[in-house]
Amino acid sequence: MKIAIFGAGQLAMMMIQADKDKKHDFIVIDPNPNPPASHYAEHIQTEYDDATTLNKIANDCEVATIDFENVCVDAMRKLEKTIPVHPSSHALEICQDRLKEKSLFKKLDIKTTEYYPINNSNDLEKHIDNNKSYILKSRRFGYDGKNQYRIIPNKKIETDLTKKECILEEFVDFDAEVSLICVRSLTGNIFYYPLVENSHTNGILSMSICPSSYSNLQADAEEISRRLLESMNYVGVLVVEFFVSKGNTLIANEMAPRVHNSGHWTIEGANISQFLAHINSISGELNNDLSIDYMPSVMFNILSEHISNKKMNMLKNDYDVFLHDYHKAERKDRKLGHITHISKNRDELIQNMDAILDIL
Ligand code: ATP
Ligand code: MG
């Protein structure tokens, strides 16, 4: 099949790499020069809504997908008239806007943070209780904790975020953050990976561990995610991020309508990676008898600076580790690659994880 991917970052790169038997041809669209996936497929360097590009994709490809959720919804809606786009423009429209996303949580009776739409600084004043903590987030174009502002009780608020449409979320004093990677086939079958436990540094994902220590919440997470997938008639990989409250319940934070950084461990740690599961589902090849199997795994993001050969050799000598390099230049807080370690059991994984962190 000829598959178009809008966005040619590392997620697109890993989707293409997942097609080991080269069953498909890929075209990637990205306005940036030399993005990671351009080393593995034909790259069209234009804006995502470029009319000539959209026509070419409609003519040449059988299905389109994304590696970046902020592609223009209208462009995808137009493309959908000719070829299937997964996830659909409808799903993208919801997931691009924190207010629409949270409204869907509410409509489906899914517990989420208390939130208020904010359109100007007066709205902010109206909703803030000086004794509480909040996070102000722009409704659109947030990633890696960007376009967010933390509001601390009785501290002066200095932000120009309210010039954009925002939502104000009450700050959740959580025990942990977990994510559920799900994949839904064209025929409506849903498969779930075990919950992954995530750690963040300065709002950016730094480490993901699977299994999490919250397997008791797996059934709840699956039920919540099923409602979301079905309500959007979603096809492909969807990731739902949750906070685990102090009382051990799930509070939905947000969704990613694509393969996700917290699922990178599945490349070596599961019998089917999130990338292959996504490609198989959008191309109609996801096995209905699939059963997801995994090994205890941990993934470390490589941020800002590449890891030296010396460190990598030290790791490789002692542990089962796999390095993924995204072919990117160093820049502060940029995701340059990741390392996955897999282990026989969770106890050994946690022990090794600490030792690996020391080396990193
Ligand atoms: P990403 O792209 O990494 O998923 P994002 O920019 O889309 O991030 P969020 O996931 O909403 O934004 O927020 C980033 C991180 O900030 C969360 O993983 C969490 O650690 C923290 N955070 C966000 N919202 C809240 C909240 N309401 N209460 C407490 N912490 C929060
Ligand atoms: Mg997030």
Side-chain angles (χ1 to χ4, degrees):
M1 226 178 222
K2 193 138 188 169
I3 301 176
I5 308 178
F6 286 80
Q10 63 266 22
L11 302 179
M13 178 186 91
M14 289 184 270
M15 284 187 228
I16 299 167
Q17 289 173 332
D19 178 33
K20 289 205 180 79
D21 303 333
K22 304 233 181 307
K23 274 204 254 172
H24 306 293
D25 280 328
F26 292 91
I27 297 187
V28 294
I29 302 97
D30 198 307
N32 298 300
N34 292 319
S38 66
H39 303 284
Y40 300 84
E42 180 188 345
H43 171 210
I44 307 178
Q45 191 185 348
T46 57
E47 293 301 326
Y48 303 112
D49 58 353
D50 178 80
T52 314
T53 302
L54 289 170
N55 275 335
K56 180 177 160 57
I57 297 302
N59 286 328
D60 294 357
C61 296
E62 283 143 280
V63 61
T65 189
I66 55 152
D67 102 323
F68 170 67
E69 62 262 44
N70 286 313
V71 294
C72 168
V73 167
D74 283 339
M76 294 303 110
R77 208 173 270 135
K78 197 171 151 208
L79 187 59
E80 255 164 5
K81 295 201 167 115
T82 323
I83 59 170
V85 179
H86 300 303
S88 68
S89 58
H90 170 66
L92 282 181
E93 189 174 15
I94 295 169
C95 297
Q96 281 182 358
D97 182 337
R98 293 187 192 278
L99 185 61
K100 290 186 180 155
E101 188 173 58
K102 289 251 173 2
S103 311
L104 179 64
F105 290 161
K106 226 176 188 170
K107 185 175 140 201
L108 298 176
D109 216 14
I110 294 168
K111 195 168 167 202
T112 186
T113 47
E114 286 298 325
Y115 67 91
Y116 314 92
I118 302 291
N119 294 314
N120 51 53
S121 47
N122 289 343
D123 286 349
L124 196 58
E125 269 167 41
K126 203 161 71 198
H127 291 294
I128 284 197
D129 169 344
N130 279 326
N131 298 311
K132 284 187 176 174
S133 291
Y134 300 88
I135 298 193
L136 181 68
K137 299 178 181 178
S138 70
R139 277 171 60 176
R140 304 167 59 81
F141 300 112
Y143 69 98
D144 290 346
K146 293 190 173 60
N147 290 323
Q148 297 193 3
Y149 180 79
R150 172 91 187 263
I151 295 173
I152 294 164
N154 298 311
K155 202 166 159 210
K156 191 162 179 256
I157 299 172
E158 289 172 298
T159 177
D160 54 9
L161 255 191
T162 47
K163 288 186 182 145
K164 300 179 184 151
E165 289 179 319
C166 285
I167 66 167
L168 178 70
E169 288 181 17
E170 289 196 2
F171 191 82
V172 183
D173 184 20
F174 54 77
D175 245 2
E177 291 187 80
V178 294
S179 54
L180 189 73
I181 300 152
C182 327
V183 59
R184 185 166 178 269
S185 73
L186 279 172
T187 51
N189 277 318
I190 307 176
F191 304 93
Y192 307 93
Y193 288 83
L195 278 168
V196 181
E197 197 164 334
N198 301 315
S199 318
H200 293 79
T201 314
N202 302 327
I204 307 176
L205 183 74
S206 49
M207 196 170 81
S208 295
I209 306 172
C210 185
S212 70
S213 30
Y214 298 93
S215 54
N216 58 319
L217 296 173
Q218 180 77 20
D220 283 352
E222 290 186 6
E223 167 54 23
I224 291 168
S225 305
R226 184 190 59 74
R227 274 184 259 159
L228 289 165
L229 287 159
E230 289 179 350
S231 78
M232 296 186 281
N233 194 17
Y234 194 97
V235 175
V237 167
L238 176 83
V239 175
V240 188
E241 296 178 13
F242 299 97
F243 301 123
V244 179
S245 75
K246 297 281 181 203
N248 229 257
T249 59
L250 290 172
I251 302 170
N253 173 29
E254 61 168 356
M255 301 183 275
R258 52 170 169 77
V259 288
H260 192 251
N261 198 168
S262 69
H264 290 3
W265 62 272
T266 59
I267 297 175
E268 291 88 10
N271 58 337
I272 179 166
S273 74
Q274 62 165 348
F275 302 100
L276 186 59
H278 182 71
I279 293 300
N280 284 354
S281 72
I282 66 167
S283 59
E285 290 164 3
L286 195 68
N287 182 353
N288 280 335
D289 301 324
L290 177 69
S291 141
I292 290 179
D293 221 353
Y294 73 99
M295 293 272 287
S297 308
V298 54
M299 186 240 34
F300 309 91
N301 266 340
I302 302 171
L303 295 169
S304 310
E305 281 174 38
H306 286 290
I307 179 161
S308 67
N309 288 339
K310 187 176 159 207
K311 277 188 186 173
M312 206 51 225
N313 288 335
M314 279 166 77
L315 290 176
K316 278 189 174 153
N317 281 342
D318 293 333
Y319 307 101
D320 237 343
V321 287
F322 303 89
L323 171 68
H324 295 258
D325 179 2
Y326 306 158
H327 315 289
K328 285 179 174 174
E330 294 183 342
R331 194 170 72 203
K332 188 171 180 315
D333 290 342
R334 195 178 205 193
K335 290 175 180 168
L336 303 175
H338 73 266
I339 292 174
T340 301
H341 164 59
I342 55 178
S343 216
K344 286 192 292 295
N345 59 62
R346 197 175 188 276
D347 289 345
E348 189 187 272
L349 185 85
I350 301 297
Q351 240 177 40
N352 292 349
M353 184 182 94
D354 290 336
I356 293 171
L357 275 175
D358 277 346
I359 295 175
L360 290 175

